[in-house]
């Protein structure tokens, strides 16, 4: 069983990740396309331009994010199930397959390049995460023992 | 050319092609220059962007040059590439070349001579000499390369625990316990999400054995995930001396290994109880294997206590032979019960005179005063029982002490947290978090001032 109790165990976490990524994309898309729509509309139509840009574009961004998140999570779970190990390589392998799967319609060259790029990116993420974990890990410290006092127990 | 361009851009219809060709032919040089200019305005790039890459003219030329050779085909394909494509291809080629050069030179750098003997020692490569023969270079390179990756798989700390406490505070043995599926178990269901439960008898197990053992929790999960659970098992920090987590494990070949030799404790005085045999694969002779707890009520922890108590109270020079005297360590509890039974029988047969002693001074005095005979005359006891009784008494005393002082201890801890927990981000970045030694120093200074 996974140790991270902020996340559900494997098959269900795919749904969570899909939803999480989708909402992230929608929120980010709203900001991005809201500003874009605002800037690209003529004076007097800016409010309407913003709204229409958000309405037409933000769900698409959300969908893109959601597909990425859902696919990644699916691959991550599959890799975990097959390897039966929990380490950083899971994410890298899952990233490789995700990048490849999303680019598969662009031909095999594109698929390959995209898979490698995605794997590298996730490798960097995982590496940075592990570094942070290593540097924030605190060594246990000895309690301060009073010198002349008898111990309470034993 | 002009005609083609015009056609491509659909500025003119194919029907006017013939006339425009005538016009082109009759133009003078200067006009041709004009045509070139036109060329530049409608570059392939723009056309490609507008979606005119494959147009009628192409198809026409294809039918015209049906029997043309491959060379011409290739040239057409090259024409299909926009200038942007070419630029991109060039950049990609540069990237590939620089990657290759970088890799080769990096590997070459890794195969250099040893910087110093220290490095050689650190990589356990004393048999690999300096010098530039292919095998030696390869060996050095592979050692250095693997050391780059072992950085992540080695334990974070060199010594996992601080040195043993001063003599007065020292327990006879050190007990290393894994956390998940030995002491606690987490379950997930759709209704409640994650829930974590303590194993039955856990509090007694920790409380009782903490008088014999320096208890170290050594979890198999990250500190981030397990620290709170570990703290909750022992909120007063009375039982568990230290807690270590995955960061202190070595990761090798997909196995999480808990290397006891890094614990900073005498291996002959250390016992590890774990549910995963990979964990103690370096020191299997120190281990008591247990099956992973599935969350259902059981009394496995309590059943372990007599043996662990026996182990700690007998002052063995080395616990390993004792542990390995059991034929099957999985059934250690049952086997120990058997042994204890035998021992008891033997002791009883050897001390019959004590057990059968009915008439002694104590009994006589008690009968004179009309009291039950046990009040003056303690029943003779087997040493193991005496140890047990003593341990239980001490456990009760300690519990009483904890109960009385718990609010005070919690309050003190909270005070400490309030004082040292607050730290500005600026200070955190510039100076790093306050080290434990620092906090201890400040505390001791304050204590000295207070007294």
């Amino acid at each position: 069983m996974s140790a991270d109790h902020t996340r559900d165990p494997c098959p269900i976490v795919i749904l969570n990740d899909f939803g999480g990524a989708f909402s992230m994309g929608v929120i980010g898309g709203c900001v991005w396309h809201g500003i874009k729509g605002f800037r690209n509309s003529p004076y007097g139509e800016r409010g309407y331009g913003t709204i229409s840009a958000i309405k037409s574009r933000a769900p698409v961004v959300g969908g893109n994010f959601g597909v990425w998140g859902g696919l990644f999570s699916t691959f991550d779970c599959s890799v975990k199930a097959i390897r039966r190990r929990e380490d950083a390589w899971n994410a890298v392998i899952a990233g490789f397959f995700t990048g490849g799967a999303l680019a598969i319609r662009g031909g095999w060259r594109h698929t390959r390049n995209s898979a490698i790029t995605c794997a590298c990116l996730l490798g960097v993420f995982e590496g940075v995460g592990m570094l942070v974990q290593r540097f924030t890990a605190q060594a246990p410290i000895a309690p301060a023992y009073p010198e002349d006092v008898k111990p309470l127990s034993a | 050319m002009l005609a083609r361009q015009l056609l491509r851009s659909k500025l003119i219809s194919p029907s006017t092609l013939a006339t425009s060709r005538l016009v082109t032919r009759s133009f003078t040089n200067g006009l041709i220059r004009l045509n070139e200019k036109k060329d530049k305005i409608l570059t392939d790039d723009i056309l490609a962007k507008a979606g005119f890459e494959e147009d009628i003219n192409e198809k026409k030329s294809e039918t015209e040059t049906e029997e043309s050779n491959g060379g011409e085909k290739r040239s057409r394909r090259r024409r299909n590439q926009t200038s942007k494509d070419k630029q991109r291809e060039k950049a990609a080629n540069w990237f590939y070349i620089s990657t290759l050069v970088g890799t080769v030179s990096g590997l070459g750098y890794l195969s250099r001579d040893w910087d110093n003997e220290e490095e050689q020692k650190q990589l356990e490569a004393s048999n690999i000499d300096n010098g530039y023969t292919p095998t030696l270079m390869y060996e050095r390179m592979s050692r250095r390369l693997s050391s780059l990756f072992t950085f992540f798989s080695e334990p974070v700390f060199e010594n996992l625990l601080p040195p043993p406490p001063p003599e007065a505070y020292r327990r006879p043995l050190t007990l290393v316990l894994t956390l998940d599926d030995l002491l606690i178990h987490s379950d997930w269901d759709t209704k409640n999400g994650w829930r974590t439960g303590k194993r039955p008898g856990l509090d007694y197990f920790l409380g009782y054995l903490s008088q014999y053992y320096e208890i170290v929790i050594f979890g198999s999960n990250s500190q981030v995930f397990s620290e709170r659970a570990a703290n909750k098992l022992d909120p007063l920090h009375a039982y568990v001396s230290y807690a270590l987590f995955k960061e202190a494990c070595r990761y090798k070949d997909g196995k999480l290994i808990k290397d006891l030799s890094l614990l900073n404790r005498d291996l002959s005085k250390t016992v590890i109880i774990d549910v995963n045999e990979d964990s103690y694969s370096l020191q299997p002779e120190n281990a008591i294997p247990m099956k992973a707890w599935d969350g259902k009520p059981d009394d496995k922890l309590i059943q372990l206590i007599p043996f662990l108590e026996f182990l700690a109270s007998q002052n063995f020079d080395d616990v390993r032979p004792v542990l390995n005297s059991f034929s099957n360590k999985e059934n250690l509890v049952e086997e120990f019960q058997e042994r204890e039974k035998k021992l008891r029988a033997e002791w009883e047969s050897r001390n019959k005179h004590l057990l059968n002693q009915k008439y002694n001074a104590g009994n006589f005095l008690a009968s004179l005063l009309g009291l039950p005979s046990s009040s003056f005359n303690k029943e003779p006891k087997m040493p193991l029982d005496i140890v047990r009784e003593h341990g239980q008494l001490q456990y009760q005393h300690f519990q009483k002490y904890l109960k009385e002082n718990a609010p005070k201890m919690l309050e003190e801890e909270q005070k400490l947290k309030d004082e040292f927990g607050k730290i500005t981000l600026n200070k955190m970045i510039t100076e790093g978090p306050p080290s434990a030694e620092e906090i201890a120093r400040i505390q001791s200074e304050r204590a000295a001032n207070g007294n």
Side-chain angles (χ1 to χ4, degrees):
Chain A
M1 279 271 178
S2 154
D4 188 357
H5 289 190
T6 55
R7 288 158 65 79
D8 289 341
C10 232
I12 288 139
V13 84
I14 296 172
L15 211 62
N16 290 356
D17 280 355
F18 177 79
F22 178 80
S23 39
M24 209 156 75
V26 167
I27 293 165
C30 279
V31 174
W32 180 265
H33 287 292
I35 292 170
K36 217 173 156 187
F38 184 84
R39 282 169 58 103
N40 290 338
S41 322
Y43 293 114
E45 298 284 332
R46 297 206 127 164
Y48 178 73
T50 309
I51 298 294
S52 68
I54 287 175
K55 266 160 70 176
S56 59
R57 293 286 174 192
V60 178
V61 177
N64 288 347
F65 270 65
V67 166
W68 198 94
L71 258 185
F72 178 76
S73 198
T74 313
F75 280 120
D76 198 37
C77 280
S78 320
V79 169
K80 268 181 202 164
I82 292 166
R83 290 183 74 222
R84 294 181 181 284
R85 290 179 186 182
E86 297 251 351
D87 57 19
W89 292 110
N90 285 348
V92 174
I93 295 167
F96 181 85
F97 284 120
T98 311
L102 288 176
I104 206 146
R105 292 181 65 199
W108 104 264
R109 252 176 80 106
H110 186 43
T111 308
R112 179 199 63 194
N113 290 347
S114 170
I116 292 171
T117 313
C118 208
C120 288
L121 198 70
L122 274 148
V124 170
F125 284 173
E126 288 293 312
V128 169
M130 279 164 79
L131 274 181
V132 168
Q133 205 179 40
R134 278 182 83 84
F135 286 123
T136 53
Q138 284 181 331
I141 39 147
Y145 295 102
E147 264 159 39
D148 299 325
V149 187
K150 272 193 175 174
L152 288 165
S153 64
Chain B
M1 194 60 200
L2 172 72
R4 208 177 143 229
Q5 288 288 359
L6 288 174
L7 191 81
R8 271 188 154 195
S9 58
K10 289 190 179 164
L11 290 176
I12 51 169
S13 65
S15 59
T16 57
L17 189 67
T19 45
S20 73
R21 249 183 205 159
L22 277 172
V23 172
T24 328
R25 247 176 241 149
S26 63
F27 272 158
T28 55
N29 270 353
L31 277 169
I32 286 166
R33 227 169 266 149
L34 190 99
N35 292 350
E36 279 168 4
K37 251 185 197 170
K38 199 114 190 172
D39 254 356
K40 272 172 194 159
I41 293 168
L42 286 172
T43 54
D44 285 334
D45 220 40
I46 297 167
L47 289 167
K49 257 186 200 164
F52 292 120
E53 218 166 3
E54 297 278 332
D55 55 349
I56 315 134
N57 201 18
E58 291 282 305
K59 275 175 199 159
K60 204 173 172 185
S61 68
E62 212 165 0
T63 50
E64 272 171 9
T65 57
E66 222 170 335
E67 286 128 59
S68 64
N69 51 12
E72 204 166 322
K73 259 188 189 166
R74 202 181 300 141
S75 75
R76 189 161 50 72
R77 203 176 297 144
R78 203 173 294 146
R79 252 207 319 278
N80 276 348
Q81 275 187 333
T82 61
S83 61
K84 199 83 183 172
D85 278 343
K86 274 181 201 155
Q87 216 177 329
R88 213 174 274 158
E89 197 171 284
K90 217 172 168 185
N93 283 341
W94 272 114
F95 173 73
Y96 293 139
I97 289 168
S98 54
T99 313
L100 191 73
V101 170
T103 314
V104 169
S105 56
L107 290 180
Y109 181 66
L110 286 179
S111 63
R112 70 191 187 277
D113 276 345
W114 299 116
D115 296 334
N116 44 41
E117 279 182 16
E118 207 172 286
E119 191 197 9
Q120 201 171 354
K121 216 183 207 174
Q122 211 171 16
L123 297 177
E124 295 168 358
S126 47
N127 54 339
I128 301 164
D129 292 324
N130 282 333
Y132 284 95
T133 62
T135 41
L136 284 176
M137 279 167 78
Y138 173 75
E139 294 266 342
R140 282 197 298 268
M141 185 202 71
S142 68
R143 283 297 164 96
R144 284 198 176 109
L145 200 64
S146 60
S147 79
L148 286 183
F149 286 98
T150 52
F151 169 74
F152 285 112
S153 53
E154 284 294 303
V156 181
F157 326 114
E158 217 160 285
N159 281 326
L160 299 182
L161 297 179
E167 198 66 55
Y169 298 88
R170 207 172 290 172
R171 311 283 197 278
L173 302 177
T174 301
L175 183 64
V176 182
L177 303 166
T178 188
L179 186 65
D180 283 280
D181 290 341
L182 177 72
L183 306 181
I184 60 174
H185 179 79
S186 296
D187 250 330
W188 187 93
D189 58 48
T190 46
K191 211 172 159 192
N192 302 302
W194 281 108
R195 283 187 304 176
T196 303
K198 284 200 283 188
R199 198 165 190 173
L202 175 63
D203 288 331
Y204 181 67
F205 180 81
L206 292 179
Y208 190 76
L209 288 178
S210 66
Q211 51 186 326
Y212 299 113
Y213 289 89
E214 179 188 37
I215 295 179
V216 178
I217 286 181
F218 200 155
S220 305
N221 286 322
S222 291
Q223 186 166 11
V224 219
F225 304 143
S226 297
E227 197 176 26
R228 277 179 62 208
N231 276 339
K232 233 173 172 180
L233 293 187
D234 180 27
L236 298 174
H237 306 293
Y239 309 144
V240 179
S241 302
Y242 302 106
L244 296 168
F245 302 97
K246 194 181 184 178
E247 287 80 2
C249 294
R250 173 173 292 140
Y251 189 77
K252 205 177 175 189
D253 305 330
K255 289 176 185 169
L256 214 54
I257 298 166
K258 297 170 183 173
D259 189 352
L260 297 183
S261 62
L262 300 178
L263 271 186
N264 211 359
R265 296 287 184 273
D266 190 357
L267 270 181
S268 61
K269 305 271 183 201
T270 305
V271 180
I272 179 170
I273 304 180
D274 209 300
V275 293
N276 188 347
E277 57 181 339
D278 292 339
S279 306
Y280 48 79
S281 53
L282 285 182
Q283 290 93 10
E285 64 276 3
N286 285 71
I288 298 177
M290 288 273 276
K291 287 201 179 71
W293 178 47
D294 58 357
K296 294 192 183 90
D298 70 354
D299 58 352
K300 288 271 160 58
L301 278 185
I302 298 294
Q303 282 185 355
L304 260 181
I305 291 176
F307 171 71
L308 290 173
E309 183 184 49
F310 163 80
L311 199 64
S313 58
Q314 299 300 308
N315 258 334
F316 293 114
D317 285 335
D318 193 341
V319 295
R320 286 170 290 189
V322 184
L323 283 173
N324 293 313
S325 66
F326 292 90
S327 56
N328 182 5
K329 283 206 270 184
E330 298 267 347
N331 296 327
L332 183 136
V333 172
E334 289 80 10
E335 215 166 303
F336 180 71
Q337 279 169 352
E338 204 93 334
R339 282 188 196 187
E340 200 189 324
K341 214 185 269 173
K342 246 185 232 168
L343 213 67
R344 197 173 292 276
E346 197 186 306
W347 182 84
E348 273 169 9
S349 69
R350 207 183 291 163
N351 295 294
K352 257 186 190 136
H353 59 284
L354 284 176
L355 288 166
N356 293 334
Q357 214 172 42
K358 273 191 184 157
Y359 306 104
N360 61 14
N363 276 359
F364 178 68
L365 204 62
S367 65
L368 266 185
L369 296 169
L371 292 168
S373 63
S374 58
S375 55
F376 282 100
N377 187 24
K378 286 253 167 73
E379 214 178 303
K381 282 196 182 90
M382 192 175 140
L384 260 183
D385 291 335
I386 296 173
V387 168
R388 205 158 290 169
E389 207 167 75
H390 184 74
Q392 266 155 9
L393 210 68
Q394 216 161 48
Y395 171 75
Q396 278 165 2
H397 277 306
F398 192 49
Q399 289 300 311
K400 208 173 132 203
Y401 171 82
L402 283 183
K403 215 176 195 177
E404 280 164 4
N405 292 285
K408 212 172 83 190
M409 286 158 94
L410 286 176
E411 196 185 316
E412 260 169 35
E413 200 191 325
Q414 190 59 44
K415 222 194 254 166
L416 214 68
K417 223 183 256 173
D418 288 343
E419 196 167 333
F420 294 102
K422 274 185 225 144
I423 180 164
T424 59
L425 194 66
N426 182 28
K427 211 174 169 191
M428 180 93 173
I429 290 167
T430 51
E431 293 169 28
S435 70
E437 289 83 13
E438 185 86 350
I439 292 174
R441 193 179 55 78
I442 294 170
Q443 262 182 296
S444 60
E445 262 172 29
R446 231 169 258 174
N449 289 342
N451 294 340

